[in-house]
Amino acid sequence: GPIPVRGGARRRNPLELATGRLLVSLRHEGEWAHFLRSLAGVEAGWTRGRWQRELLQIRSAGVAMKTTRDPRIEVSLAVPVRGPGDVVICAIGCSVPSFIAEDLFQPRVLARILEASEKITESLGGVPGARPVVDFSVDGIVLADPDPDTHHDADLDPDADLDPDPGPARKTGARE
C-alpha cells in the first residue's frame, strides 16, 4: 500500500519539474492560468507568454525538458504514462545536476525512459502514444515539432506579462 511521508516536504510548483510541466501542458489551456499565477523563482524573467509558448511546445512534442545554464540547478526530461482511454495519468522522468546535462539529454536515455513509460502504460491497460521526435543538437536542446500546425495559440497572448510592472528584480536575468 501507500507509504505515508511526514514533514520536511515543501510544496512545489509543478512547473519546477519536467514531469509537472508535461502534465500541466496536457491540461486545457484555460487551466494554465492557475499554475502561472505563482511563478516566483521558477524561471527568472519568463513572462506569461514565454510560459504559454513552453507549454504549447511540450504538448506538441509529447516530451518535456527542463534546462538551465545554472550549474547549481537540476535539468530533467519527462514523458507521459497513459491509462485506458488514452488518458495521461502521470509522467515519469529523470533529472541530473545541470553540470552533467549532456549525460541526460541524448537519444539513448530518452529511448530508455520511453520504454519504461510504454511498459507502465501497457501494464495499466493503456496504449502507448507515438514516440516524440527530439533533436539533441549541439547548439542547444530543441524539441522538434512533428506537425507545427497541430496547436492553436490564437487565444493566447504571447506578449502578456505575469505582472503589469514586474519591478527591477524581474527585469534582470531574463533568459529565453
Side-chain angles (χ1 to χ4, degrees):
I3 300 171
V5 177
R6 299 191 200 317
R10 72 175 178 90
R11 194 171 204 161
R12 295 182 75 155
N13 183 322
L15 298 175
E16 292 179 40
L17 305 170
T19 51
R21 291 176 188 201
L22 177 68
L23 294 172
V24 169
S25 78
L26 296 174
R27 298 179 67 95
H28 185 274
E29 291 169 21
E31 297 174 17
W32 292 354
H34 170 76
F35 299 99
L36 298 177
R37 280 191 196 103
S38 59
L39 295 175
V42 176
E43 295 291 351
W46 281 26
T47 64
R48 180 181 302 270
R50 174 64 181 99
W51 273 107
Q52 290 171 329
R53 287 189 302 274
E54 173 83 356
L55 294 173
L56 284 169
Q57 185 177 17
I58 291 168
R59 176 191 287 172
S60 177
V63 62
M65 290 185 279
K66 179 182 176 281
T67 63
T68 184
R69 291 189 174 114
D70 187 337
R72 300 165 297 166
I73 299 176
E74 80 280 349
V75 296
S76 50
L77 177 64
V79 297
V81 172
R82 301 174 187 282
D86 200 36
V87 175
V88 174
I89 58 172
C90 67
I92 62 169
C94 292
S95 65
V96 299
S98 64
F99 60 85
I100 58 171
E102 64 277 0
D103 293 337
L104 177 64
F105 295 129
Q106 52 182 296
R108 67 186 180 97
V109 174
L110 177 61
R112 298 300 84 79
I113 296 170
L114 286 166
E115 287 171 9
S117 169
E118 291 164 354
K119 287 179 182 177
I120 296 168
T121 292
E122 289 170 351
S123 73
L124 296 173
V127 176
R131 284 205 166 190
V133 177
V134 179
D135 175 13
F136 295 99
S137 68
V138 291
D139 293 332
I141 298 159
V142 177
L143 292 179
D145 188 350
D147 185 1
D149 297 324
T150 58
H151 60 268
H152 306 282
D153 54 0
D155 297 331
L156 302 177
D157 181 2
D159 298 317
D161 201 340
L162 298 172
D163 210 325
D165 180 14
R170 291 282 311 282
K171 292 178 183 172
T172 60
R175 59 177 249 250
E176 285 194 285

